[in-house]
Amino acid sequence: MIFTTFTFLVFILIVLPLYFLLPHRAQNVMLLAASYVFYGWWDWRFLFLLLFSTVLDYMIGLGLAAPRLVNRRKALVTISIVTQLLLLGVFKYYDFFATSFATLASQFGWHVDPWLIQLVLPVGISFYTFHTLSYTIDIYRGILAPTRDFIAFALFISFFPQLVAGPIARARHLLPQMINPRHPLLTDWFEGCYLFYWGLFKKVVVADTLAQIVDKAFTNPARLNAFTVLVAVYAFAWQIYCDFSGYTDMARGCSKWFGIDLQINFKVPYLSVDPSDFWKRWHISLSSMLRDYLYIPLGGNRYGRTYRNLILTMLLGGLWHGANWTYALWGLYHGVLLVAYRLICPGLETRLKSPWARALHTIWFFHLVCLGWLIFRADSITQLAGLLEAFTRAPKFEPGLAARLLVAVPVFLLELAIYFRNDQVAFLRFPWIVRVVVYVGIYWALLTVGRWGTEGFIYFQF
């Protein structure tokens, strides 16, 4: 089920009234059932995999707190980590690595027939795997106490707004909201409506409009020149941002209707001045997970292994996005950027006092991010080489093509307001007449430009 379809409209119009008619315990049961319906809409068979992951880590969580198993805590958390990552690996990476090994072997004259299992990738498996792991690892570390409320725990894992494309939920943040009674305020309703409405605009008007430019360009790089490939890269930068942050806005807005607060996942990332600043603003739930559960356990900044740990963390973070060497290369690229900036201009974000200097560094780093998006969007290393080659061809200016990028201007202007006011809902503080005009403009754009239900969300494939 997708937020931008009529099916979801019917779904939410049924779920919301039922929610407010029920007491807390029954609310959780109903939301859990609704979440399973939402997820099973793609393929009901994957519900068994979701339920298996849920039951496994619920039982391991209880075992980690059991006095009689105190000497087996390390074994229990190892079972949780290995099992969840094994499931993720089999469904997401097995065929990729098997095929890659066969290709590598052929370079040495060896013929290998890889045994492929050709499993369909379950939607959202990368997200709910991290949900469950955050629970068992935090219990093992003594940060979190396990819950005996299975319904609340299962709802934490499968809560439908954030289940398939994030933000990645931490047990310590979301689980208490499932266990304790919720009392949504009128302000939650208004803020939720704004977030959902704005996210809808970013997805169906901005992201899906720019997708037409991107898909056409990346399908046939041989026909591109320096100008058209540059426009395509700019278009993808705003497509992926509006697609992913649009989903997050809708997920957060929908959750607020139920009195549930999801983590902020984006903080104007394209106004970052360096890689460290960027990863504090882009996909915050993933970057913080990688920091807390991978980078720090590897040693973090200790033992003189900072650069190795940064490279390894970002490389694995890139592979988290999918079974393709371009994702690994994208992660490696950002790891190299982190290392380079630490070596050349450490602490840049705090040292920039002049607004002009900050602006210049922001523009420069935005283009470094765009180069990364070129790597990320390429379907293969061969296609990436073709796209880079297009930059060497004489540019042919196409004003009509460039003008289509203007669809992202409203998003950029609001990003500036959020940045300078340091307020994620800065728009709600605007004068009422400005808000009315903008809401009417968005409504008109949704009706005339919006591409309803034609494009899935990019991060569904991860």
Side-chain angles (χ1 to χ4, degrees), residues 219-242:
T219 299
N220 194 356
R223 300 182 62 182
L224 302 179
N225 57 65
F227 178 78
T228 52
V229 73
L230 185 63
V231 170
V233 172
Y234 286 154
F236 182 67
W238 286 101
Q239 179 202 354
I240 191 170
Y241 175 60
C242 290

Side-chain angles (χ1 to χ4, degrees), residues 138 157 266 321 372:
D138 282 357
I157 300 297
F266 296 91
H321 286 81

Side-chain angles (χ1 to χ4, degrees), residues 290 294-316 335 338-339:
L290 292 174
L294 182 58
Y295 178 69
I296 292 176
L298 283 172
N301 298 332
R302 296 172 295 169
Y303 315 126
R305 298 173 181 171
T306 301
Y307 303 139
R308 183 208 68 173
N309 295 340
L310 283 172
I311 294 289
L312 185 57
T313 299
M314 296 310 299
L315 179 63
L316 293 175
L338 283 165
V339 170

Side-chain angles (χ1 to χ4, degrees), residues 181-201:
R182 300 172 292 272
H183 305 286
L185 304 174
L186 191 60
T187 53
D188 293 323
W189 174 259
F190 286 131
E191 187 173 328
C193 287
Y194 156 69
L195 286 171
F196 195 91
Y197 195 48
W198 181 242
L200 199 61
F201 171 79

Side-chain angles (χ1 to χ4, degrees), residues 4-181:
T4 58
T5 60
F6 180 75
T7 304
F8 177 76
L9 176 63
V10 174
F11 170 82
I12 201 67
L13 288 177
I14 294 172
V15 171
L16 267 176
L18 283 175
Y19 180 80
F20 287 102
L21 290 173
L22 298 171
H24 170 63
R25 178 72 178 178
Q27 283 179 340
N28 281 358
V29 173
M30 189 276 295
L31 277 182
L32 180 60
S35 297
Y36 283 171
V37 169
F38 181 91
Y39 187 71
W41 206 261
W42 279 282
D43 191 329
W44 62 269
R45 292 170 296 180
F46 290 134
L47 286 170
F48 294 105
L49 187 64
L50 174 62
L51 188 59
F52 173 78
S53 294
T54 302
V55 172
L56 173 70
D57 277 355
Y58 172 76
M59 298 302 296
I60 286 179
L62 294 178
L64 288 169
R68 60 188 178 84
L69 298 176
V70 67
N71 295 325
R72 300 181 182 178
R73 297 181 79 250
K74 189 172 184 178
L76 286 172
V77 77
T78 300
I79 291 172
S80 171
I81 294 171
V82 170
T83 304
Q84 299 293 359
L85 293 182
L86 186 61
L87 288 174
L88 181 62
V90 168
F91 278 91
K92 192 168 183 176
Y93 300 106
Y94 174 81
D95 284 358
F96 166 67
F97 282 115
T99 304
S100 297
F101 175 76
T103 302
L104 179 63
S106 68
Q107 302 300 314
F108 294 94
W110 304 332
H111 177 70
V112 177
D113 287 322
W115 180 62
L116 304 180
I117 53 180
Q118 297 180 330
L119 292 172
V120 177
L121 179 66
V123 176
I125 188 172
S126 297
F127 289 90
Y128 70 71
T129 296
F130 276 24
H131 296 168
T132 62
L133 288 178
S134 77
Y135 176 73
T136 53
I137 293 174
D138 282 357
I139 293 174
Y140 177 75
R141 291 176 172 178
I143 299 173
L144 183 72
T147 179
R148 293 188 174 275
D149 188 339
F150 177 76
I151 298 297
F153 176 75
L155 182 57
F156 148 66
I157 300 297
S158 61
F159 183 46
F160 73 87
Q162 48 83 54
L163 173 60
V164 294
I168 300 170
R170 295 285 191 101
R172 68 186 86 160
H173 171 73
L174 189 56
L175 184 57
Q177 297 185 67
M178 303 306 181
I179 295 173
N180 300 317

